[in-house]
């Protein structure tokens, strides 16, 4: 049946080679009851493991029924174990969380038996080892002797021609040991039984052959009883494991260890809710920012009492609208030039020969008509070029350079030819002492120009030229195809950069150029004719601008045309409420006025300094990273949880389960658990939505999930759980059975 020819087994451990046994020659046949003895470390276990196909060997040849095995794959050994070998171990190697019945049943489930054929067989076997009373007891509650009898029952039910027992009585008292040997003898008929023991007397009565090992070699091999020769081995019959049995085990494993179930459930619950939150907050954010225009860089004023409003029909505000809003009870004030709140402007002192001598003040622009209180320095403006500012008392422009500040001419960076002089200063209130920005109170005409600019900043601009659309990035500081107003350009005409001619080739004078402005509130188009091409030399004459270096590659149009594009009444305003406790009531009242109110604090993260495109990309990247990080975190957590179950999967392998089946069983377990977690999240969201659990933000988030989204979320979770199970089993099957087993025991 089994034949070893010069077989050696080596262990490679961190560069050191140890030998398990060397050059063993041995032939074993059905009908033999072989006792192997020898001192500890002599190679007995190693020999049994190789004979059982649980471990590999390095040298020589092992024959199974005359077939060479040195080229056997793991799959072929699986089949050998399944058909031929049943193992019994010193430490029983049972599934502690299963009952006696379930432990014995396990082999039959793995071998494709149907439920109805299983029961009788299992109960008979349990009866045979005298444990009927305990059939529904968890194995962990049994004594050592009882456990070993369960192990024997399990080995017997497998009905293989070979039974291999490695010190099966090693952990038992004399009485139980005797029982166990007795039972083993009973089943030994027409089988090959190989048993390692220290206690020869116990077994002498039954053994047909005694083998003694020493230092990895067989030093004695005595046949003490005649056996019947040439009995054909009867391999155990098995079918492929049925799907039902896989599910039966998967379900059993899901719930059989409660703490493990809860831990896995929590991990999956966490993943599901994290993906949900990430996705819906992303949607919420997108939704909000598509409803309301922000300043170029997001919101500067994050006061919790600020509510942004626009009209539900997206038309502009009229005086009548403002009046209605002012009549509401909880309104502290309305900011009509809403877009100014969130844009910081910079005014630079006129160019100076020594650059570090120059000055710049930046901060919010406000209308001089809204100025309240008394100045600390200087006077109120008397003409259109004069402004007053609010400044931090400790700013060194105030402490050290006050004289200069008051006497220099400034120019708002975005508007050329607007000379400004600071004529009055008011100190910032004490509580805002860490704010080093300057509030600039400017006259009406400047406000108009700046409002145009603010509208421009919230718009997308496209240029239609030469039958092509080109995106003009008209945001601040960008040079490319920026549209600018000029007094020197005639109405209906455009003066364009020489570069435009170079890129299109040919004459472009008198050609059409279209400018299309789009934002969430309005759409405007202008069709112009190119009247001139500017170059560095004629730039100043054609456009009236002086700084060619900063603004080349642009399109200059008549101021009136420019106003058509951008001089619009306000479409958006901000109201500040008096009493925060009443803010939700105020929100409702605003809604009833046909407005669309949004608290600024609902807009999520502030992205001061970033532009919207970058934020969108960043958000997508963050989402992807979150999913990946989640996957790996959960993989590691689940691996730790499952590692404690290595012994379980190894036991399945020893019992002859194929790697495919084990993978499947694990898949099912994780799938059930993740599905339950998904259902848990759904249940929780349902309670929030029904307002049984009060959670305003989450309730809001649920609006962004439809059936399709939930389906996709479910698929994401299911795929994740499957990937995790795949990775885990891949690791598990990298090593031989006995290596994993030894690592665990
Ligand atoms: P026995 O079962 O007779 O006590 P073993 O078969 O367990 O002996 O061990 C035989 C020899 O192989 C011993 O020298 C032991 O140190 C060595 N050995 C066993 N398992 C390993 C292993 N996993 N790694 C390295 N050496 C091992
Ligand atoms: Mg041993």
């Amino acid at each position: 049946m089994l034949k070893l020819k010069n077989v050696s087994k080596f262990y490679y451990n961190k560069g050191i080679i140890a030998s398990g046994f060397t050059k063993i020659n041995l032939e074993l046949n059905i009908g033999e009851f072989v006792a192997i003895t020898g001192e500890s470390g002599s190679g007995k276990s190693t020999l049994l493991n190789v004979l059982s196909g649980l471990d590999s060997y390095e040298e020589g040849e092992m024959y199974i029924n005359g077939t060479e095995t040195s080229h056997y794959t793991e799959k072929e050994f699986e089949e050998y174990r399944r058909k031929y070998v049943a193992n019994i171990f010193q430490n029983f190697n049972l599934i502690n969380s299963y009952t006696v019945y379930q432990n014995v049943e396990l082999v039959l489930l793995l071998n494709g038996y149907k439920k109805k054929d299983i029961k009788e067989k299992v109960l008979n076997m349990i009866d045979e080892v005298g444990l009927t009373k305990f059939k529904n007891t968890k194995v962990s509650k049994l004594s050592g002797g009882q456990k070993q009898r369960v192990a024997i029952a399990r080995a017997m039910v497998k009905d293989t021609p070979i039974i291999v027992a490695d010190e099966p009585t090693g952990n038992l008292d004399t009485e139980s040991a005797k029982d166990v040997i007795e039972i083993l003898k009973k089943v030994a008929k027409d089988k090959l039984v190989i048993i390692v023991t220290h206690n020869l007397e116990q077994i002498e009565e039954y053994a047909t052959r005694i083998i003694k090992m020493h230092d990895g070699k067989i030093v004695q091999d005595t046949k003490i009883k005649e056996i019947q020769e040439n009995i054909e081995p009867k391999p155990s019959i098995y079918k492929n494991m049925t799907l039902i049995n896989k599910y039966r085990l998967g379900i059993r494993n899901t719930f059989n260890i409660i703490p493990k179930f809860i831990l896995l459930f929590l991990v999956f619950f966490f993943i599901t809710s994290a993906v949900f939150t990430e996705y819906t907050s992303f949607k919420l954010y997108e939704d909000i920012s598509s409803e309301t225009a922000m300043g170029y860089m997001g919101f500067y004023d994050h006061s919790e009492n600020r509510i942004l409003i626009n009209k539900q029909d997206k038309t502009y505000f009229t005086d009548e609208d403002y009046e209605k809003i002012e009549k509401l009870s909880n309104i502290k004030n309305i900011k009509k030039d809403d877009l100014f709140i969130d844009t910081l402007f910079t005014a630079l002192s006129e160019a100076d020969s020594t650059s570090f001598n120059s000055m710049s003040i930046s901060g919010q622009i406000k209308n001089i008509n809204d100025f309240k209180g008394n100045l600390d320095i200087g006077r109120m403006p008397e003409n259109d070029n004069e402004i007053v500012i609010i400044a931090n008392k400790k700013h060194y422009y105030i402490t050290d350079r006050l004289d200069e500040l008051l006497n220099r001419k400034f120019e708002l960076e975005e508007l050329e030819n607007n000379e400004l002089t600071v004529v009055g200063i008011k100190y910032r209130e004490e509580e805002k002492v860490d704010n080093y920005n300057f509030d600039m109170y400017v006259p009406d005409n400047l406000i108009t120009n700046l409002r145009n600019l603010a509208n421009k900043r919230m718009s997308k601009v496209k240029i239609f030229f030469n039958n092509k659309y080109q995106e003009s990035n008209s945001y601040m500081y960008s040079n490319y195809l920026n549209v600018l107003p000029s007094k020197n350009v005639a109405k209906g005409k455009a003066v364009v950069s020489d570069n435009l001619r170079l890129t299109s080739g040919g004459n472009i004078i008198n050609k059409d150029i279209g400018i299309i402005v789009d934002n969430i509130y309005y759409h405007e188009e202008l069709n112009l004719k190119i009247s001139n091409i500017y170059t560095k030399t004629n730039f100043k004459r054609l456009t009236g601008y002086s700084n060619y270096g900063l603004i080349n590659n642009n399109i200059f149009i008549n101021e009136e045309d420019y106003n058509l594009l951008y001089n619009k009444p306000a479409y958006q305003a901000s109201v500040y409420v008096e009493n925060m406790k009443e803010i939700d009531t105020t929100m409702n009242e605003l809604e009833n006025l046909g407005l669309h109110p949004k608290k600024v604090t609902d807009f999520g993260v502030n992205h001061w300094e970033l532009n919207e495109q970058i934020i969108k990309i960043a958000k997508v990247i963050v989402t992807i990273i979150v999913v990946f990080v989640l996957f790996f975190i959960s993989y590691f957590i689940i691996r730790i949880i499952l590692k404690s179950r290595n012994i379980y999967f190894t036991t399945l392998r020893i019992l002859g389960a194929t790697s495919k089946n084990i993978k499947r069983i694990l898949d099912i377990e994780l799938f059930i658990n993740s599905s339950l977690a998904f259902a848990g999240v759904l249940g929780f969201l349902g309670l929030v939505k029904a307002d049984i659990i009060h959670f305003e933000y989450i309730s809001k988030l649920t609006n962004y999930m439809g059936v399709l989204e939930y389906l996709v979320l479910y698929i994401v979770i299911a795929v994740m759980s499957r990937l995790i199970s795949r990775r885990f089993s891949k690791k598990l099957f990298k090593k031989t059975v006995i290596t994993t087993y030894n690592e665990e025991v």
Side-chain angles (χ1 to χ4, degrees), residues 11 24 26 35 71 205 218 237 247 256 284 289 295 299 363 365 384 400 403 471 502 530 548 555 585 602 675 693 736:
Y11 291 106
I24 297 264
L26 187 63
H71 302 299
E205 197 185 321
I218 293 177
I237 303 155
Y247 272 93
N256 73 337
L284 172 71
S289 43
F299 293 107
I365 295 282
D384 274 359
D400 291 21
D403 235 26
E471 194 101 356
L502 295 176
I530 294 172
Y548 177 77
I555 295 163
T585 319
D602 276 352
S675 300
I693 300 173
T736 65

Side-chain angles (χ1 to χ4, degrees), residues 486-589:
S486 163
K487 286 191 180 87
N488 300 11
V489 179
K491 207 165 169 316
K493 303 287 183 195
V495 172
V496 302
S497 159
D498 191 30
N499 292 349
L500 201 59
R501 184 181 60 83
L502 295 176
T503 48
S504 66
N507 183 20
I508 60 169
I509 298 282
N510 265 331
K511 279 208 168 170
D512 290 324
I513 184 162
I515 298 171
I516 300 115
V517 168
D518 252 314
N519 59 48
I520 63 168
Y521 296 117
Y522 66 85
H523 171 95
E524 230 16 290
E525 289 188 24
L526 272 184
N527 286 309
L528 307 171
K529 279 209 184 317
I530 294 172
S531 63
N532 250 315
I533 299 166
Y534 73 82
T535 59
K536 192 168 180 173
T537 43
N538 63 15
F539 174 70
K540 195 164 177 180
R541 178 175 61 83
L542 287 177
T543 69
Y545 284 73
S546 50
N547 201 343
Y548 177 77
L550 264 183
I551 42 181
N552 72 40
N553 242 327
N554 290 336
I555 295 163
F556 293 87
I557 64 176
N558 180 269
E559 278 189 327
E560 256 179 74
D561 288 334
Y562 188 81
N563 282 342
L564 278 176
L565 291 179
Y566 295 118
N567 193 2
K568 303 283 177 184
Y571 288 85
Q572 175 175 313
S574 283
V575 296
Y576 292 78
V577 300
E578 191 82 56
N579 180 358
M580 273 309 287
K581 284 195 190 112
E582 302 285 313
I583 190 162
D584 287 325
T585 319
T586 310
M587 295 277 287
N588 285 335
E589 289 171 351

Side-chain angles (χ1 to χ4, degrees), residues 9-13 18-21 38-47 49 55 166-167 196 198 213 215-216 739 742:
K9 165 78 198 167
F10 303 111
Y11 291 106
Y12 304 94
N13 239 339
S19 118
F21 56 78
E39 69 274 26
S40 181
S42 56
K44 307 180 296 290
S45 297
T46 312
L47 180 61
N49 294 336
D55 209 349
D166 192 351
E167 305 195 35
V196 167
H198 282 298
M213 290 188 74
D215 204 10
T739 318
N742 285 339

Side-chain angles (χ1 to χ4, degrees), residues 445-707:
N445 72 316
L446 261 181
I447 290 283
T448 307
N449 290 346
L450 288 172
R451 187 188 297 119
N452 291 351
L453 198 68
N455 280 334
K456 184 171 170 181
R457 283 174 180 171
M458 72 167 183
S459 307
K460 282 207 170 69
V461 181
K462 273 193 209 146
I463 308 294
F464 185 73
F465 176 69
N466 226 6
N467 285 320
K468 273 200 303 262
Y469 284 100
Q470 293 181 67
E471 194 101 356
S472 147
N473 193 345
S474 59
Y475 294 131
M476 194 163 25
Y477 308 128
S478 167
N479 286 327
Y480 187 64
L481 291 181
N482 193 3
V483 177
L484 291 165
S486 163
K487 286 191 180 87
N488 300 11
V489 179
K491 207 165 169 316
K493 303 287 183 195
V495 172
V496 302
S497 159
D498 191 30
N499 292 349
L500 201 59
R501 184 181 60 83
L502 295 176
T503 48
S504 66
N507 183 20
I508 60 169
I509 298 282
N510 265 331
K511 279 208 168 170
D512 290 324
I513 184 162
I515 298 171
I516 300 115
V517 168
D518 252 314
N519 59 48
I520 63 168
Y521 296 117
Y522 66 85
H523 171 95
E524 230 16 290
E525 289 188 24
L526 272 184
N527 286 309
L528 307 171
K529 279 209 184 317
I530 294 172
S531 63
N532 250 315
I533 299 166
Y534 73 82
T535 59
K536 192 168 180 173
T537 43
N538 63 15
F539 174 70
K540 195 164 177 180
R541 178 175 61 83
L542 287 177
T543 69
Y545 284 73
S546 50
N547 201 343
Y548 177 77
L550 264 183
I551 42 181
N552 72 40
N553 242 327
N554 290 336
I555 295 163
F556 293 87
I557 64 176
N558 180 269
E559 278 189 327
E560 256 179 74
D561 288 334
Y562 188 81
N563 282 342
L564 278 176
L565 291 179
Y566 295 118
N567 193 2
K568 303 283 177 184
Y571 288 85
Q572 175 175 313
S574 283
V575 296
Y576 292 78
V577 300
E578 191 82 56
N579 180 358
M580 273 309 287
K581 284 195 190 112
E582 302 285 313
I583 190 162
D584 287 325
T585 319
T586 310
M587 295 277 287
N588 285 335
E589 289 171 351
L590 291 167
E591 188 110 40
N592 292 337
L593 287 180
L595 302 168
H596 202 138
K598 286 273 179 191
K599 293 178 201 165
V600 167
T601 48
D602 276 352
F603 280 73
V605 286
N606 184 27
H607 36 81
W608 192 241
E609 285 177 350
L610 289 173
N611 86 39
E612 232 172 298
Q613 293 301 325
I614 295 175
I615 289 159
K616 265 196 189 148
I617 295 165
K619 270 255 160 192
V620 171
I621 293 172
V622 165
T623 307
I624 292 170
I625 291 174
V626 165
V627 171
F628 264 90
V629 167
L630 272 180
F631 175 77
F632 280 102
I633 291 177
S634 29
Y635 170 66
F636 281 110
I637 296 175
I638 289 173
R639 213 177 80 177
I640 291 165
I641 299 170
L642 289 183
K643 200 147 177 17
S644 63
R645 311 237 307 135
N646 259 351
I647 190 83
Y648 173 79
F649 293 112
T650 312
T651 305
L652 291 195
R653 283 174 85 184
I654 291 172
L655 292 179
T658 63
S659 49
K660 238 169 101 185
N661 287 345
I662 290 176
K663 272 179 202 159
R664 191 88 207 127
I665 292 168
L666 180 60
D667 273 352
I668 293 169
E669 176 180 349
L670 293 187
F671 178 74
I672 293 173
N673 205 317
S674 57
S675 300
L676 286 173
F678 180 79
V681 171
L682 280 193
F684 176 75
L685 292 177
L687 291 178
V688 169
K689 210 147 170 79
D691 218 20
I692 294 166
I693 300 173
H694 194 69
F695 226 129
E696 203 188 328
Y697 185 68
I698 294 179
S699 170
K700 209 179 280 174
L701 292 183
T702 56
N703 295 335
Y704 295 92
M705 295 288 286
V707 175

